[in-house]
Amino acid sequence: MEQENLLNPEKEINVTDTSMTSEKTVETSFEKEGLSPKKPAGIPPEKPEDAKEDVGKNTEVPIIDFSLLDTETIVEKAGQLLKDHEIPEIRTMLDGIAPVFEKKYREEKARFLKEAGKPEQPEKEEEKSEPLEYKPEVRKAFDTLYREYKDKKARYLKAQEAKREENLAKKLEVIEELKQLILKEETLQKTFQEFRDIQEKWRQIGPVPQSRLNGLLETYHLHVENFYNYVKINKELRDLDLKRNLEDKLALCEEAEKLSEGIYI
C-alpha cells in the first residue's frame, strides 16, 4: 500500500522538537540520531551572501596608502593595480583615489607656485585669467586611468547583477524541489537523503539580489520547517500504526488461546 511506504522508513527518524523555527534549530534533533545533513569532504563552510563574489585572480594584492605618495607615483601604482588585478580585489583602494589625487595635486601645485615666486590664484581669478597648468601630462594620465577604472567597475557590477539574477532563479528552483519533497511516496530515509542533497545545492549557489534576499530566505526556511514537520507527522503515524498492529496481534493471540482451550464461542 502507498500509505505503508510512507510509514515504513528503512531507519527510524526521531523528531521530538515541535517548536522548530529555523533550519539550524530543527537539525539539532537529527544530529542526535546521526542523521544531520553533512557536507561532503572538501567542501568549505558556507559563506555569507555578501561574501560569495568572484574575486578574480588568486594573486596577492599590495596594500597601498595613496595619501603618502606624490601624484606621479599615484598614477603609476594605481595603473599597475588595474593592470595586474581584478576589480573586486582593488575596489577598496581605488574607489577613494580621486579625492586623494586632487588633494595631492593642489598641494604640489601650491608648492610649485610658491617656489616659483608666484602666489596661487584663487579659483574665481583662475576662471577669469588663463590658468597655470601644472604637470598636465600627470593630470591627463590620471583622468584616463580613473575613467578606465570606472568603466571596468561598471562592467563588473553589471556582470555581478546578471549573476545574482541567475542565482535567484536557481534558488527558486531549489525551493520548488523542497516543496515537492513532502509529496513523494517513498521511504523517509530516502526522502531525507534527498533533503540533504537539496540543502547542499542551496548552499553552493552564490548570492542573489539584495532586494530579494530576505523574502527568499524566509520562503526557504518555511519549507525546511514544513519538511521537518512532515517527517515528525509521519513518524507519529508510523508509531500509531505499530501500536494498532500490536493491539491486533494481541487480540488474535487471545482468540487463538481461547480456541486451543475450547472456550471459543
Side-chain angles (χ1 to χ4, degrees), residues 6 9 81 96 166 172 195 204-205 212 225 229 249 261:
L6 287 173
L81 285 176
E166 180 183 331
L172 289 174
F195 172 70
Q204 294 305 310
I205 299 173
R212 300 291 301 274
E225 185 174 348
N229 288 336
K249 288 179 181 178
E261 295 176 357

Side-chain angles (χ1 to χ4, degrees), residues 98-117:
V100 174
F101 178 86
E102 291 299 333
K103 181 181 178 182
K104 283 289 182 179
Y105 185 83
R106 287 195 300 269
E107 291 174 353
E108 289 180 11
K109 182 178 179 180
R111 190 161 52 248
F112 169 77
L113 292 174
K114 183 178 180 180
E115 291 173 355

Side-chain angles (χ1 to χ4, degrees), residues 211-229:
S211 61
R212 300 291 301 274
L213 179 59
N214 289 338
L216 189 72
L217 287 176
E218 287 177 5
T219 302
Y220 172 72
H221 287 298
L222 170 65
H223 290 293
V224 167
E225 185 174 348
N226 287 344
F227 173 78
Y228 280 104
N229 288 336

Side-chain angles (χ1 to χ4, degrees), residues 241-257:
D241 190 56
L242 290 174
K243 182 180 178 181
R244 287 175 178 171
N245 287 342
L246 179 59
E247 290 174 351
D248 290 342
K249 288 179 181 178
L250 290 175
L252 287 174
C253 288
E254 286 184 12
E255 273 192 50
E257 186 176 349

Side-chain angles (χ1 to χ4, degrees), residues 5-146:
N5 289 333
L6 287 173
L7 301 177
N8 186 28
E10 297 170 10
K11 183 175 182 180
E12 181 177 344
I13 301 175
N14 184 22
V15 184
T16 58
D17 188 355
T18 59
S19 60
M20 298 176 289
T21 58
S22 69
E23 180 182 353
K24 183 177 180 180
T25 302
V26 293
E27 287 185 1
T28 303
S29 300
F30 288 84
E31 290 175 359
K32 295 177 181 178
E33 300 297 324
L35 293 171
S36 177
K38 296 181 180 178
K39 296 183 180 181
I43 295 179
E46 182 179 7
K47 298 179 181 179
E49 287 289 332
D50 59 355
K52 291 184 179 178
E53 291 187 343
D54 179 12
V55 294
K57 302 173 184 177
N58 186 22
T59 56
E60 185 175 353
V61 182
I63 305 301
I64 301 173
D65 186 350
F66 289 104
S67 66
L68 303 178
L69 308 177
D70 58 45
T71 52
E72 290 185 33
T73 309
I74 288 175
V75 173
E76 177 189 347
K77 296 293 186 181
Q80 199 65 41
L81 285 176
L82 197 57
K83 177 182 177 183
D84 295 343
H85 303 281
E86 299 295 339
I87 293 300
E89 299 175 303
I90 59 178
R91 280 180 65 183
T92 303
M93 286 184 286
L94 294 192
D95 273 350
I97 196 175
V100 174
F101 178 86
E102 291 299 333
K103 181 181 178 182
K104 283 289 182 179
Y105 185 83
R106 287 195 300 269
E107 291 174 353
E108 289 180 11
K109 182 178 179 180
R111 190 161 52 248
F112 169 77
L113 292 174
K114 183 178 180 180
E115 291 173 355
K118 297 180 180 181
E120 184 177 8
Q121 294 175 305
E123 292 183 6
K124 291 184 178 179
E125 292 185 14
E126 286 185 358
E127 293 175 1
K128 297 177 182 178
S129 60
E130 188 71 23
L132 176 64
E133 285 192 308
Y134 170 74
K135 291 187 177 181
E137 72 285 353
V138 176
R139 159 67 69 185
K140 182 179 179 180
F142 178 79
D143 290 344
T144 301
L145 175 70
Y146 195 60

